[in-house]
Amino acid sequence: MKCMLSLIVVISILPACRPATSASADDKSKVHVGIVFDIGGKDDRSFNAAAWQGVNRAAKDFPIILRDVEPGDPTSIEPAMRAFAERGYDLIIGVGFAQTPQIEAVAKDYPKLNFAIVDGVSRLPNVASLIFKEHEGSYLVGMIAAMTSRSGILGFVGGMDVPLIHKFELGYEEGAKAVNPKIRVIPNYVGVTDAAWNDPVKGKELARTQIEKGADVIFAAAGNSGLGAFDAVEQYGKDGQGRAQRFVIGVDSNQTWMKPGFVLTSMVKRVDNAVYQIVKDRVENRPIGGVHVYGLENEGIGYAVDQYNKDLIPQPAIQAVEAAKQKIITGQIKVTNAMEK
Amino acid sequence: MSRIQGYAKNAYPLANFLAPLRGARYTAQLMKLIRELTFPLIAILAAFLVGGILVALIGDDPIQTYALLIGSALSWPDGIGYTLFYATPLIFTGLAVAMGFRCGLLNIGAEGQLTVAAFATAWAGISFANSSAWMLIPLTCLVAIASGALWATIPGVLKARFGSHEVINTIMMNFIAVGVASALTQTYFKQQGDPILETLPIGDGAHIPRIGQIIPGIPARIPLNMAFVVAVLACALMYVFLWRTKWGYEIRATGANPNAAEYGGISVKKQIVLAMAVSGGLAGMVAINEVLGYRYRYYQGFSPQYGFTGIAVALLGRNHPAGVLVAALFFGALTRGGLFVDIFTEKVSKDLVLILQALVILFVAAEAVFRRRMGKTESQV
């Protein structure tokens, strides 16, 4: 009994020790934004991380209330969206194409709330579809890969074997072939389920197999699994002049800082910009339904050149890629979109 | 006819049946009930106290956090609806594990049994999609129960025939179940180009109604469905089976002391197989909720470990159907409230719920220690 009493005493004193938490959670005048991440979680340093960065930047710039969920398993995605909807959140963002059916189900039940889905397409009037022209960015990094490769063999490690990732693969191959028609691309996919985004061990295995087959530049479009490819190229070390033997190309977020010298560039998908923009639209009360396309022309897609990789790509290569970028924007170069084939 | 059967048929049920009519017996039973309830309640209370201290240490307000937890679990209609919905599969798996325990078996294969059942149910729902609802619903329910029972019978037979331990076999069968179901889904039952590992939808005739379609005032968005009613019925049936039938008596006798049961003329081997089959059938009924009432398809990874949570539910519910029902409702409320705590607090994550569950189980398990102490003091007096 004494033990119980002391517990009760402790528990009643503890809250008094701290300053009261900000009770601003129910300030109805502010726009409430809820974001539901993919299985990878917001620290995947890639796709989800970019979305997380975007909403956080928006939270700094606008007076919004922001809450996030990392569902952890696919069954918790829809309940999390419904929890936001029940509380009347003004904008609910789903990250990743796999959440499209869930967000549509919830959006139908709550027609007055706004929703946004990253990478997915929905026809509902209250759902904004944020999609990217990944094939165009992949084309540009494919060019850089082909200009860097000495063996004439490139690798591609995809996450889940789905049409969305085929878009990356085909664009990459077309870009590489534009530079060197004889180049060969070895494509491999981590898996066919959600787990494919979160399996760095398998990612590494695939990258090593490709290197053993002769590939010297590997494009990893596999979320968390792609980090395995980073480890694989690092294992092959650098030559006498301090240049890496094998290179990896990052995806979604700029990943050149992660293994400096080994990361040739990153196919940057500005999920952060897209998410930031949709929050801004909601705050400024613009209608947000419909398809929002992000490509080279509006800086939604790009390739990374910064202090970590500027010595890896020679200036003429950059000029060639920039020229191709302008031609894609003006329509002179047509990159095949694998999802519209 | 053995002596045991005669005893079971005549004296035993009669005595129980008449018990409530006798005053002294009635108070004694009430006292027993109170005693049975005291420890789980204390365990829950103590778990919440310790959990509250953890919340305070993390830096959130424990009272606000618990208000959010309980408030979101019991709000009308969404909170209650979801609490009951989350409780439904846990009632089935809790009953399944309790049935095993009553026969002295630890069935940790409920997860595999419900996976196989869900796949088989979806298969039946797809293959006979054009039948009428009157045919299809009983058929799919039957498939759910039969496939779960069949999957559990295998380790049951292995135990009875060769004495190989059911814990090892059931857990291995879990892996086989998931592998087989996902392979079959991938090769034969998937929609072309669907990026999600799930089967085609089952026929409309196999959909069981949601509670919202029956009781007006409950919005249709809440996935609570007739499977919950089935689950409550299953609790009642299990009580009748265990305490009012010969088979149930034999199972309990085997669980209490297999040697004595064998000596009394009960075939222990038969009881093991029977208990495993019933246990697997109960676990398989999860498919009624998930496939026929909620997703209308088999979905890879649909179960967030219902089979294993069922062990905790059975433990907290003291392997009694009524206890299992209450424990499952409690766990359902925690699942629902945990989601809101995860989202709408500053620092506390949904792991709080896991900690609370673990603490409850820990305190329930510690009961034996308390009992022994109390027994000592009583005997000293």
Side-chain angles (χ1 to χ4, degrees):
Chain A
M1 216 53 233
K2 245 185 202 167
C3 169
M4 276 290 185
L5 267 179
S6 50
L7 272 181
I8 293 166
V9 170
V10 167
I11 207 164
S12 50
I13 288 173
L14 269 171
C17 303
R18 315 164 284 103
T21 40
S22 53
S24 61
D26 255 38
D27 189 348
K28 286 287 171 208
S29 64
K30 290 179 177 173
V31 170
H32 286 53
V33 178
I35 183 164
V36 182
F37 290 104
D38 210 352
I39 305 304
K42 64 187 172 196
D43 293 325
D44 68 349
R45 291 183 273 183
S46 179
F47 179 62
N48 288 282
W52 180 227
Q53 226 182 336
V55 281
N56 269 322
R57 214 166 67 219
K60 274 202 196 90
D61 292 356
F62 311 110
I64 60 168
I65 285 172
L66 173 66
R67 293 281 183 202
D68 69 282
V69 196
E70 294 177 279
D73 67 280
T75 51
S76 336
I77 290 172
E78 193 178 325
M81 288 173 180
R82 287 193 182 274
F84 282 129
E86 262 177 54
R87 294 248 163 160
Y89 267 57
D90 304 287
L91 175 62
I92 299 163
I93 304 171
V95 182
F97 72 90
Q99 299 188 2
T100 316
Q102 285 106 324
I103 213 162
E104 286 196 313
V106 182
K108 271 182 206 151
D109 287 337
Y110 295 91
K112 283 186 190 148
L113 304 179
N114 287 299
F115 297 82
I117 177 84
V118 180
D119 270 0
V121 178
S122 167
R123 282 182 196 173
L124 295 176
N126 57 335
V127 180
S129 312
L130 312 179
I131 59 168
F132 296 83
K133 296 193 213 164
E134 294 93 348
H135 50 294
E136 297 181 351
S138 303
Y139 183 94
L140 300 183
V141 299
M143 287 178 70
I144 299 175
M147 287 186 277
T148 308
S149 172
R150 288 172 188 164
S151 64
I153 300 171
L154 304 179
F156 176 83
V157 176
M160 194 166 160
D161 195 352
V162 284
L164 177 71
I165 304 301
H166 300 161
K167 241 166 122 178
F168 289 75
E169 184 199 331
L170 192 63
Y172 178 63
E173 192 176 343
E174 286 187 356
K177 292 245 158 93
V179 172
N180 174 5
K182 276 190 252 163
I183 209 154
R184 195 157 72 86
V185 178
I186 310 172
N188 286 110
Y189 286 84
V190 175
V192 291
T193 63
D194 270 351
W197 303 117
N198 213 352
D199 190 352
V201 176
K202 181 94 185 280
K204 184 173 177 179
E205 223 172 272
L206 292 176
R208 285 192 49 171
T209 317
Q210 293 175 347
I211 290 170
E212 273 156 30
K213 283 183 189 160
D216 56 358
V217 182
I218 294 168
F219 181 21
N224 230 340
S225 311
L227 301 184
F230 284 59
D231 288 341
V233 296
E234 195 184 26
Q235 275 191 350
Y236 287 84
K238 297 185 177 177
D239 64 11
Q241 286 109 42
R243 187 178 167 84
Q245 306 272 19
R246 308 281 189 271
F247 293 100
V248 67
I249 296 175
V251 78
D252 295 346
S253 290
N254 181 4
Q255 298 177 315
T256 52
W257 57 274
M258 285 171 51
K259 305 254 187 222
F262 293 98
V263 188
L264 188 57
T265 180
S266 288
M267 203 293 278
V268 185
K269 180 166 155 181
R270 300 302 300 267
V271 177
D272 54 335
N273 284 354
V275 168
Y276 178 90
Q277 189 59 43
I278 206 74
V279 175
K280 188 169 179 232
D281 286 352
R282 181 61 192 82
V283 170
E284 291 166 1
N285 267 322
R286 277 195 286 267
I288 66 163
V291 177
H292 303 241
V293 182
Y294 289 87
L296 294 171
E297 68 281 4
N298 53 7
E299 301 285 319
I301 287 284
Y303 63 99
V305 180
D306 59 15
Q307 75 264 34
Y308 298 107
N309 69 337
K310 64 177 190 296
D311 297 334
L312 304 176
I313 312 170
Q315 201 52 42
I318 301 258
Q319 280 161 3
V321 173
E322 280 301 315
K325 180 178 165 182
Q326 288 313 316
K327 281 184 185 165
I328 294 172
I329 292 173
T330 56
Q332 282 168 276
I333 296 179
K334 197 101 184 74
V335 186
T336 317
N337 180 348
M339 284 178 89
E340 287 168 4
K341 246 196 325 189
Chain B
M1 281 270 168
S2 70
R3 271 171 307 166
I4 290 289
Q5 279 171 343
Y7 175 61
K9 251 191 188 153
N10 303 320
Y12 188 75
L14 199 68
N16 250 320
F17 185 67
L18 291 177
L21 301 177
R22 298 180 190 159
R25 268 288 185 86
Y26 184 68
T27 24
Q29 285 212 333
L30 196 71
M31 286 306 291
K32 192 174 164 241
L33 185 73
I34 289 170
R35 240 181 302 143
E36 291 282 315
L37 282 177
T38 314
F39 272 106
L41 281 178
I42 290 177
I44 289 171
L45 219 70
F48 270 71
L49 269 175
V50 177
I53 293 172
L54 285 175
V55 170
L57 289 176
I58 294 166
D60 267 325
D61 187 338
I63 293 162
Q64 269 183 23
T65 306
Y66 281 139
L68 183 65
L69 181 85
I70 297 163
S72 57
L74 299 182
S75 67
W76 179 260
D78 294 81
I80 302 232
Y82 268 96
T83 293
L84 298 182
F85 172 67
Y86 289 136
T88 309
L90 297 179
I91 297 173
F92 289 128
T93 55
L95 289 178
V97 176
M99 177 59 83
F101 271 136
R102 285 287 171 189
C103 190
L105 298 164
L106 182 50
N107 175 16
I108 47 179
E111 188 70 21
Q113 290 140 24
L114 65 89
T115 304
V116 164
F119 178 77
T121 309
W123 166 80
I126 295 165
S127 302
F128 306 101
N130 295 324
S131 325
S132 67
W134 294 112
M135 279 284 293
L136 202 50
I137 290 177
L139 174 77
T140 43
C141 289
L142 206 69
V143 168
I145 297 167
S147 52
L150 197 70
W151 200 254
T153 305
I154 300 169
V157 168
L158 287 175
K159 164 105 179 179
R161 185 80 181 76
F162 305 107
S164 56
H165 206 287
E166 80 280 2
V167 167
I168 310 288
N169 286 330
T170 49
I171 206 161
M172 289 304 155
M173 298 280 287
N174 285 347
F175 295 113
I176 301 172
V178 174
V180 167
S182 68
L184 288 175
T185 307
Q186 176 71 23
T187 0
Y188 299 113
F189 292 98
K190 223 176 103 180
Q191 203 140 32
Q192 270 291 298
D194 188 347
I196 299 159
L197 191 49
E198 59 185 13
T199 62
L200 300 161
I202 59 173
D204 288 344
H207 295 197
I208 58 173
R210 293 197 168 183
I211 298 294
Q213 290 165 268
I214 299 167
I215 303 172
I218 299 177
R221 63 169 182 270
I222 297 173
L224 178 67
N225 56 69
M226 287 304 288
F228 177 72
V229 179
V230 176
V232 175
L233 282 176
C235 288
L237 280 176
M238 175 154 157
Y239 178 79
V240 171
F241 176 75
L242 276 178
W243 279 277
R244 293 285 183 274
T245 69
K246 186 193 84 181
W247 303 297
Y249 174 77
E250 289 179 350
I251 283 178
R252 284 185 299 120
T254 306
N257 188 338
N259 292 332
E262 186 88 61
Y263 184 73
I266 294 170
S267 162
V268 170
K269 288 180 177 176
K270 226 163 77 188
Q271 301 318 313
I272 289 173
V273 177
L274 177 65
M276 279 307 282
V278 175
S279 175
L282 285 163
M285 288 167 89
V286 170
I288 299 175
N289 184 48
E290 290 289 326
V291 179
L292 305 182
Y294 179 43
R295 291 184 196 278
Y296 309 126
R297 49 161 52 86
Y298 172 78
Y299 175 97
Q300 173 74 25
F302 73 90
S303 160
Q305 312 249 297
Y306 291 136
F308 297 102
T309 315
I311 300 172
V313 169
L315 196 63
L316 184 60
R318 312 182 125 263
N319 300 322
H320 191 285
V324 165
L325 179 63
V326 175
L329 290 174
F330 172 67
F331 273 58
L334 279 186
T335 309
R336 161 78 182 176
L339 178 70
F340 279 71
V341 167
D342 187 28
I343 301 175
F344 300 110
T345 54
E346 295 292 335
K347 291 172 184 133
V348 182
S349 76
K350 65 178 164 216
D351 297 331
L352 172 69
V353 166
L354 291 180
I355 292 171
L356 284 179
Q357 288 180 355
L359 285 171
V360 170
I361 299 308
L362 205 66
F363 286 124
V364 168
E367 183 201 322
V369 181
F370 282 106
R371 284 253 157 120
R372 207 171 302 144
R373 274 194 162 182
M374 275 174 45
K376 262 186 197 159
T377 45
E378 270 170 26
S379 62
Q380 276 164 5
V381 173

